[in-house]
Amino acid sequence: MLADRLDGVPVVDAAIRLADARGAPLLLIAVLPPLLPGAVPRPPDSAAVRAVVGRALPRVARAGVAHTPAVYHRPAGRAGRLGTAKGLLDVAVAYGCSVLVVSLSGPAELDACTVMDAAAIRGGPLVRAASPVPWVPLVAPCPER
């Protein structure tokens, strides 16, 4: 599962290791904002999906793992934390995904703990947690004067 966040890198790395070990293709689920009323869901090959998945593609290409893009639009309104996570699980199962890798610090209502809870209630798929990359400043702090 990938959202437009920096913590997607460890998720992709863990998913690549799992897919490579199993000899299975990788399902890259892009989490997008809720659809506006009357809007058409974006297809997996849309620019919005490529923008979210784009950070992962160089790593996937280097690993030589086949991949399939998918889309999950967060529900509009109040679906609740388990309802939001269940929707993500529904997308994964629709594509035949048996193991889902999710960031521990994932987006609100889609963190690993919440998705694990929803998977336990739903009866699958297996959810693996990926630890976020520790934050490192982009520039050195100013020297003391």
Side-chain angles (χ1 to χ4, degrees), residues 84-106:
T84 301
K86 181 191 172 297
L88 175 69
L89 294 170
D90 290 343
V91 171
V93 169
Y95 280 87
C97 180
S98 60
V99 180
L100 187 63
V101 181
V102 181
S103 175
L104 281 169
S105 65

Side-chain angles (χ1 to χ4, degrees), residues 38-137:
V40 177
R42 292 180 176 92
D45 62 348
S46 69
V49 174
R50 286 193 312 267
V52 173
V53 175
R55 197 175 300 134
L57 292 180
R59 292 176 181 275
V60 173
R62 275 193 303 269
V65 176
H67 70 281
T68 302
V71 182
Y72 172 62
H73 286 278
R74 296 175 66 97
R78 295 185 163 174
R81 72 181 191 92
L82 293 176
T84 301
K86 181 191 172 297
L88 175 69
L89 294 170
D90 290 343
V91 171
V93 169
Y95 280 87
C97 180
S98 60
V99 180
L100 187 63
V101 181
V102 181
S103 175
L104 281 169
S105 65
E109 300 178 342
L110 290 174
D111 59 283
C113 295
T114 303
V115 177
M116 284 179 188
D117 289 347
I121 292 168
R122 188 182 189 286
L126 179 66
V127 178
R128 299 271 177 118
S131 298
V133 174
W135 183 81
V136 178

Side-chain angles (χ1 to χ4, degrees), residues 140-145:
C142 295
E144 295 293 323
R145 292 186 181 212

